[in-house]
Amino acid sequence: MFEPTLPDPDTMYRALVDKDPSFEGIFFAAVTTTGIFCRPTCTARKPRRENVMFFPTTREALLAGYRPCRVCHPMALPGALPEAVKGLLAEIEADPGLRLADTDLRDRGIDPAGLRRLFKRTHGMTFQGYLRARRVGEAFGQIRHGESATDAAFDHGWESLSGFGDAFRKILGASPTRASSPVTTVTRIETPLGPMLAGASDAGIALLEFADRRMLETQITRLRRLLGTPLVPGSSPFFERLADELRRYFAGDLHRFEVPLDLRGTPFQTRVWTVLLTIPYGHTRSYAEQAKAAGDPSAIRAVARANGDNRIAIIVPCHRVVGSDGSLTGYGGGLWRKRWLLDHERHHLGS
Ligand SMILES: [Zn+2]
């Protein structure tokens, strides 16, 4: 799941230049200079070799912050697609900040459950997951290169800045052009479990979440309110340190993070998160033990909720809290990641 097999890059680049249809569905090509991803057969001008990144699925390209190409429509599936769904995809491309509830879908003559299955089958993500990825991608897509958001929008032929700015403002609370000071900076960090979004105040890391996490936008909005500043793509001295520590963590070499944290929450939440930090690497605790450690043995549910509200994944190790019978229970980043993290830590415990 973490290292899907792709043909070697030279083969893929050759297929891309040749518009080879036999590679349809095998890979998607993302262009780092434009922030757009394509099918192999796209008729648009082909990028230079050094500016291409290959992804096995649309899902991964989206989560890495790329937009679907408006020429080859990688989100439209090969084969027949109901007209209503085609129209819907076009609508989303025109307004990537769009939110569509089940009733909105039914108004368009689309069965929400059917659409969910269709997306799951073809893109490995639900339709709502896709909408979320598009919204977040609009806001964060370009930050990887340290470009300013406005430049990026112009460069990439987005005739209207408004869609870009709206998506950005809705999620981050600032327009891409008018970043007031002080700000919280955000960046994207690649990990073996997928891309993560990190945020830093001037005190330390305040956010670390998987880019496909369901609650991501809510978490960002809460953080923005708590910090009282907009979030703006940019750099922070804490990011380099964070990326380095994460790299060593995933290599199994780092058992204790030392990058400064900025824990923002209610006094109760902050207490629960601080107690989480005392669970040693490779060990687990039950919610009951966690409540006891927080000094309130009867507050098991509240402790579980505060765990779920943790905004700094991996470092504040909410993944180390399990059911009293050892079952994994919930995890914001998905149970498969929780299982992976616990297995990884157990495996490297003695190293
Ligand atoms: Zn294309």
Side-chain angles (χ1 to χ4, degrees):
M1 183 147 196
F2 317 116
E3 289 172 44
T5 43
L6 278 173
D8 74 273
D10 289 338
T11 305
M12 287 189 285
Y13 188 68
R14 172 64 31 214
L16 183 65
V17 170
D18 294 345
K19 307 188 185 80
D20 186 341
S22 62
F23 283 83
E24 278 281 25
I26 306 285
F27 73 82
F28 295 88
V31 187
T32 55
T33 46
T34 60
I36 286 167
F37 73 98
C38 288
R39 303 167 183 241
T41 52
C42 184
T43 54
R45 200 159 60 86
K46 297 298 183 174
R48 294 151 64 113
R49 173 76 185 79
E50 64 268 28
N51 297 331
V52 186
M53 275 187 77
F54 297 104
F55 293 97
T57 63
T58 50
R59 179 179 180 275
E60 277 155 304
L62 285 165
L63 292 178
Y66 289 95
R67 297 166 168 165
C69 173
R70 286 175 164 182
V71 176
C72 63
H73 303 290
M75 296 308 293
L77 329 163
L81 205 58
E83 281 305 315
V85 175
K86 270 190 210 161
L88 187 67
L89 288 173
E91 206 181 330
I92 297 161
E93 279 321 303
D95 176 11
L98 206 60
R99 285 166 195 269
L100 291 163
D102 283 358
T103 48
D104 302 317
L105 295 174
R106 283 192 206 98
D107 288 347
R108 289 163 176 78
I110 296 168
D111 166 40
L115 186 64
R116 183 188 164 87
R117 281 195 300 273
L118 180 70
F119 261 74
K120 198 85 185 126
R121 195 169 64 235
T122 33
H123 298 296
M125 65 204 306
T126 63
F127 176 69
Q128 291 298 336
Y130 166 61
L131 283 184
R132 220 158 40 230
R134 287 294 282 126
R135 289 196 297 264
V136 174
E138 282 308 303
F140 290 95
Q142 302 307 324
I143 60 184
R144 164 188 52 229
H145 308 294
E147 299 175 62
S148 98
T150 347
D151 290 349
F154 280 130
D155 288 353
H156 303 157
W158 280 63
E159 56 290 335
S160 151
L161 255 184
S162 66
F164 196 83
D166 283 352
F168 197 93
R169 197 162 38 245
K170 269 180 213 152
I171 293 181
L172 302 176
S175 82
T177 43
R178 287 182 36 251
S180 54
S181 175
V183 296
T184 307
T185 49
V186 285
T187 195
R188 181 188 303 274
I189 295 177
E190 298 297 328
T191 79
L193 294 185
M196 299 186 84
L197 292 178
S201 68
D202 53 7
I205 296 298
L207 175 79
L208 184 65
E209 284 282 15
F210 291 102
D212 61 352
R213 189 187 170 177
R214 246 165 64 98
M215 293 289 285
L216 182 64
E217 289 165 275
T218 311
Q219 290 286 43
I220 288 173
T221 308
R222 281 187 196 152
L223 179 64
R224 210 174 71 208
R225 293 208 185 107
L226 286 164
L227 291 166
T229 71
L231 273 63
V232 172
S235 58
S236 153
F238 298 118
F239 288 152
E240 265 173 59
R241 195 155 161 201
L242 173 65
D244 177 60
E245 290 190 6
L246 278 173
R247 193 184 46 71
R248 284 158 50 214
Y249 171 84
F250 278 107
D253 299 335
L254 180 132
H255 293 193
R256 202 186 168 82
F257 288 90
E258 281 167 1
V259 62
L261 302 179
D262 188 352
L263 297 176
R264 299 282 179 131
T266 65
F268 180 76
Q269 285 174 325
T270 317
R271 182 145 46 98
V272 171
W273 298 337
T274 307
V275 169
L276 279 175
L277 286 165
T278 65
I279 309 177
Y281 181 93
H283 292 76
T284 56
R285 236 181 236 167
S286 69
Y287 289 99
E289 289 168 329
Q290 181 67 359
K292 205 182 290 170
D296 201 346
S298 62
I300 296 177
R301 289 178 74 116
V303 163
R305 202 157 41 238
N307 258 17
D309 287 334
N310 171 33
R311 220 174 281 118
I312 308 180
I314 299 179
I315 301 182
V316 177
C318 56
H319 61 277
R320 292 180 197 149
V321 181
V322 298
S324 50
D325 58 354
S327 62
L328 290 188
T329 67
Y331 188 58
L335 279 185
W336 66 275
R337 286 196 175 105
K338 183 168 182 172
R339 188 172 301 120
W340 192 98
L341 291 168
L342 291 175
D343 287 349
H344 174 73
E345 292 185 4
R346 264 182 225 119
H347 184 74
H348 291 279
L349 196 51
S351 60

Tab-separated table of all heavy atoms in Angstrom, residues 239-266:
chain	number	residue	atom	x	y	z
A	239	PHE	N	10.192	23.781	10.747
A	239	PHE	CA	9.844	22.790	9.717
A	239	PHE	C	11.031	21.898	9.353
A	239	PHE	O	10.884	20.702	9.161
A	239	PHE	CB	9.300	23.462	8.459
A	239	PHE	CG	7.919	24.030	8.617
A	239	PHE	CD1	7.501	25.124	7.859
A	239	PHE	CD2	7.028	23.472	9.523
A	239	PHE	CE1	6.223	25.645	8.008
A	239	PHE	CE2	5.745	23.991	9.687
A	239	PHE	CZ	5.350	25.084	8.923
A	240	GLU	N	12.194	22.489	9.231
A	240	GLU	CA	13.377	21.693	8.873
A	240	GLU	C	13.647	20.646	9.939
A	240	GLU	O	13.940	19.492	9.647
A	240	GLU	CB	14.596	22.593	8.747
A	240	GLU	CG	14.867	23.034	7.324
A	240	GLU	CD	15.967	24.062	7.274
A	240	GLU	OE1	17.088	23.743	7.737
A	240	GLU	OE2	15.688	25.189	6.809
A	241	ARG	N	13.535	21.103	11.180
A	241	ARG	CA	13.786	20.213	12.290
A	241	ARG	C	12.723	19.106	12.331
A	241	ARG	O	13.032	17.931	12.543
A	241	ARG	CB	13.744	21.042	13.570
A	241	ARG	CG	14.333	20.317	14.709
A	241	ARG	CD	14.849	21.268	15.753
A	241	ARG	NE	14.977	20.515	16.987
A	241	ARG	CZ	15.019	21.067	18.190
A	241	ARG	NH1	14.940	22.370	18.310
A	241	ARG	NH2	15.140	20.312	19.247
A	242	LEU	N	11.485	19.503	12.121
A	242	LEU	CA	10.387	18.535	12.099
A	242	LEU	C	10.598	17.496	10.999
A	242	LEU	O	10.479	16.287	11.241
A	242	LEU	CB	9.059	19.276	11.877
A	242	LEU	CG	7.829	18.397	11.653
A	242	LEU	CD1	7.497	17.582	12.898
A	242	LEU	CD2	6.628	19.254	11.247
A	243	ALA	N	10.914	17.957	9.796
A	243	ALA	CA	11.096	17.034	8.668
A	243	ALA	C	12.233	16.069	8.957
A	243	ALA	O	12.150	14.873	8.668
A	243	ALA	CB	11.351	17.815	7.385
A	244	ASP	N	13.290	16.586	9.546
A	244	ASP	CA	14.434	15.738	9.870
A	244	ASP	C	14.060	14.694	10.932
A	244	ASP	O	14.387	13.513	10.799
A	244	ASP	CB	15.591	16.617	10.371
A	244	ASP	CG	16.779	15.779	10.798
A	244	ASP	OD1	17.311	15.044	9.927
A	244	ASP	OD2	17.152	15.811	11.987
A	245	GLU	N	13.355	15.130	11.973
A	245	GLU	CA	12.968	14.184	13.025
A	245	GLU	C	11.983	13.146	12.497
A	245	GLU	O	12.052	11.974	12.864
A	245	GLU	CB	12.391	14.937	14.236
A	245	GLU	CG	13.462	15.725	14.972
A	245	GLU	CD	12.997	16.302	16.316
A	245	GLU	OE1	11.868	15.999	16.747
A	245	GLU	OE2	13.768	17.061	16.928
A	246	LEU	N	11.049	13.572	11.628
A	246	LEU	CA	10.098	12.621	11.048
A	246	LEU	C	10.829	11.588	10.194
A	246	LEU	O	10.512	10.402	10.227
A	246	LEU	CB	9.054	13.352	10.193
A	246	LEU	CG	7.883	13.981	10.938
A	246	LEU	CD1	7.038	14.800	9.977
A	246	LEU	CD2	7.020	12.921	11.630
A	247	ARG	N	11.805	12.062	9.428
A	247	ARG	CA	12.581	11.146	8.586
A	247	ARG	C	13.246	10.089	9.452
A	247	ARG	O	13.203	8.888	9.158
A	247	ARG	CB	13.623	11.941	7.788
A	247	ARG	CG	14.299	11.190	6.659
A	247	ARG	CD	15.378	12.038	5.990
A	247	ARG	NE	16.265	12.725	6.924
A	247	ARG	CZ	17.188	12.120	7.686
A	247	ARG	NH1	17.373	10.822	7.593
A	247	ARG	NH2	17.935	12.825	8.527
A	248	ARG	N	13.835	10.521	10.559
A	248	ARG	CA	14.513	9.569	11.452
A	248	ARG	C	13.507	8.671	12.179
A	248	ARG	O	13.766	7.506	12.444
A	248	ARG	CB	15.402	10.315	12.436
A	248	ARG	CG	16.693	10.791	11.751
A	248	ARG	CD	17.365	11.963	12.459
A	248	ARG	NE	17.529	11.744	13.880
A	248	ARG	CZ	17.463	12.710	14.807
A	248	ARG	NH1	17.238	13.958	14.440
A	248	ARG	NH2	17.629	12.433	16.070
A	249	TYR	N	12.341	9.226	12.511
A	249	TYR	CA	11.285	8.409	13.133
A	249	TYR	C	10.868	7.286	12.183
A	249	TYR	O	10.774	6.123	12.578
A	249	TYR	CB	10.081	9.284	13.490
A	249	TYR	CG	8.871	8.475	13.923
A	249	TYR	CD1	8.742	8.033	15.240
A	249	TYR	CD2	7.880	8.122	13.012
A	249	TYR	CE1	7.650	7.273	15.626
A	249	TYR	CE2	6.788	7.370	13.390
A	249	TYR	CZ	6.671	6.937	14.703
A	249	TYR	OH	5.593	6.177	15.072
A	250	PHE	N	10.621	7.645	10.929
A	250	PHE	CA	10.165	6.632	9.977
A	250	PHE	C	11.280	5.638	9.627
A	250	PHE	O	11.004	4.533	9.193
A	250	PHE	CB	9.583	7.281	8.718
A	250	PHE	CG	8.162	7.720	8.901
A	250	PHE	CD1	7.834	9.071	9.020
A	250	PHE	CD2	7.145	6.776	8.978
A	250	PHE	CE1	6.508	9.464	9.209
A	250	PHE	CE2	5.826	7.159	9.172
A	250	PHE	CZ	5.511	8.510	9.285
A	251	ALA	N	12.516	6.039	9.826
A	251	ALA	CA	13.620	5.108	9.617
A	251	ALA	C	13.797	4.193	10.833
A	251	ALA	O	14.587	3.250	10.800
A	251	ALA	CB	14.907	5.884	9.331
A	252	GLY	N	13.086	4.490	11.915
A	252	GLY	CA	13.194	3.680	13.130
A	252	GLY	C	14.308	4.132	14.057
A	252	GLY	O	14.580	3.498	15.069
A	253	ASP	N	14.951	5.253	13.720
A	253	ASP	CA	16.112	5.712	14.499
A	253	ASP	C	15.742	6.685	15.611
A	253	ASP	O	16.533	6.910	16.520
A	253	ASP	CB	17.124	6.419	13.579
A	253	ASP	CG	17.653	5.484	12.511
A	253	ASP	OD1	17.632	4.257	12.747
A	253	ASP	OD2	18.063	5.981	11.449
A	254	LEU	N	14.592	7.307	15.499
A	254	LEU	CA	14.241	8.331	16.483
A	254	LEU	C	13.062	7.852	17.314
A	254	LEU	O	12.022	7.471	16.773
A	254	LEU	CB	13.889	9.646	15.769
A	254	LEU	CG	13.503	10.810	16.679
A	254	LEU	CD1	14.244	12.067	16.280
A	254	LEU	CD2	12.007	11.052	16.652
A	255	HIS	N	13.227	7.827	18.624
A	255	HIS	CA	12.179	7.339	19.507
A	255	HIS	C	11.529	8.469	20.298
A	255	HIS	O	10.557	8.259	21.003
A	255	HIS	CB	12.735	6.284	20.472
A	255	HIS	CG	13.161	5.023	19.773
A	255	HIS	ND1	13.436	3.865	20.426
A	255	HIS	CD2	13.341	4.751	18.457
A	255	HIS	CE1	13.785	2.914	19.561
A	255	HIS	NE2	13.733	3.450	18.357
A	256	ARG	N	12.102	9.640	20.231
A	256	ARG	CA	11.584	10.760	21.012
A	256	ARG	C	11.779	12.051	20.246
A	256	ARG	O	12.907	12.416	19.918
A	256	ARG	CB	12.360	10.816	22.329
A	256	ARG	CG	11.650	11.528	23.411
A	256	ARG	CD	12.514	11.684	24.653
A	256	ARG	NE	11.843	12.621	25.540
A	256	ARG	CZ	10.862	12.270	26.365
A	256	ARG	NH1	10.487	11.010	26.443
A	256	ARG	NH2	10.260	13.177	27.110
A	257	PHE	N	10.662	12.744	19.962
A	257	PHE	CA	10.749	14.001	19.214
A	257	PHE	C	11.190	15.133	20.139
A	257	PHE	O	10.820	15.168	21.305
A	257	PHE	CB	9.390	14.345	18.603
A	257	PHE	CG	9.019	13.463	17.444
A	257	PHE	CD1	8.322	12.283	17.643
A	257	PHE	CD2	9.379	13.806	16.154
A	257	PHE	CE1	7.986	11.464	16.579
A	257	PHE	CE2	9.040	12.998	15.081
A	257	PHE	CZ	8.342	11.824	15.296
A	258	GLU	N	11.976	16.027	19.600
A	258	GLU	CA	12.432	17.145	20.423
A	258	GLU	C	12.080	18.506	19.854
A	258	GLU	O	12.329	19.529	20.480
A	258	GLU	CB	13.948	17.030	20.645
A	258	GLU	CG	14.231	16.014	21.733
A	258	GLU	CD	15.678	15.596	21.827
A	258	GLU	OE1	16.499	16.119	21.052
A	258	GLU	OE2	15.962	14.746	22.681
A	259	VAL	N	11.491	18.519	18.671
A	259	VAL	CA	11.089	19.792	18.073
A	259	VAL	C	10.067	20.454	19.012
A	259	VAL	O	9.201	19.775	19.570
A	259	VAL	CB	10.514	19.558	16.654
A	259	VAL	CG1	9.271	18.685	16.675
A	259	VAL	CG2	10.245	20.874	15.959
A	260	PRO	N	10.204	21.761	19.276
A	260	PRO	CA	9.262	22.430	20.187
A	260	PRO	C	7.829	22.370	19.672
A	260	PRO	O	7.597	22.456	18.469
A	260	PRO	CB	9.754	23.883	20.209
A	260	PRO	CG	11.160	23.833	19.747
A	260	PRO	CD	11.260	22.676	18.802
A	261	LEU	N	6.889	22.189	20.611
A	261	LEU	CA	5.470	22.109	20.241
A	261	LEU	C	4.724	23.311	20.801
A	261	LEU	O	5.087	23.854	21.838
A	261	LEU	CB	4.849	20.830	20.814
A	261	LEU	CG	5.488	19.501	20.399
A	261	LEU	CD1	4.754	18.342	21.075
A	261	LEU	CD2	5.494	19.344	18.889
A	262	ASP	N	3.693	23.696	20.078
A	262	ASP	CA	2.787	24.743	20.559
A	262	ASP	C	1.416	24.095	20.710
A	262	ASP	O	0.637	24.023	19.775
A	262	ASP	CB	2.759	25.900	19.544
A	262	ASP	CG	1.994	27.095	20.073
A	262	ASP	OD1	1.373	26.972	21.150
A	262	ASP	OD2	2.016	28.149	19.412
A	263	LEU	N	1.129	23.558	21.902
A	263	LEU	CA	-0.134	22.863	22.162
A	263	LEU	C	-1.209	23.894	22.490
A	263	LEU	O	-1.097	24.606	23.485
A	263	LEU	CB	0.012	21.892	23.338
A	263	LEU	CG	0.997	20.728	23.199
A	263	LEU	CD1	1.068	19.948	24.510
A	263	LEU	CD2	0.602	19.799	22.068
A	264	ARG	N	-2.224	23.971	21.672
A	264	ARG	CA	-3.291	24.942	21.911
A	264	ARG	C	-4.601	24.227	22.118
A	264	ARG	O	-5.073	23.520	21.229
A	264	ARG	CB	-3.441	25.882	20.713
A	264	ARG	CG	-2.223	26.688	20.395
A	264	ARG	CD	-2.082	27.846	21.352
A	264	ARG	NE	-0.878	28.583	21.025
A	264	ARG	CZ	-0.857	29.918	20.892
A	264	ARG	NH1	-1.938	30.619	21.057
A	264	ARG	NH2	0.294	30.521	20.615
A	265	GLY	N	-5.201	24.391	23.262
A	265	GLY	CA	-6.490	23.775	23.510
A	265	GLY	C	-7.031	24.247	24.841
A	265	GLY	O	-6.454	25.141	25.478
A	266	THR	N	-8.123	23.637	25.288
A	266	THR	CA	-8.640	23.939	26.619
A	266	THR	C	-7.642	23.383	27.630
A	266	THR	O	-6.817	22.525	27.276
A	266	THR	CB	-10.007	23.264	26.844
A	266	THR	OG1	-9.803	21.843	26.813
A	266	THR	CG2	-11.004	23.668	25.761
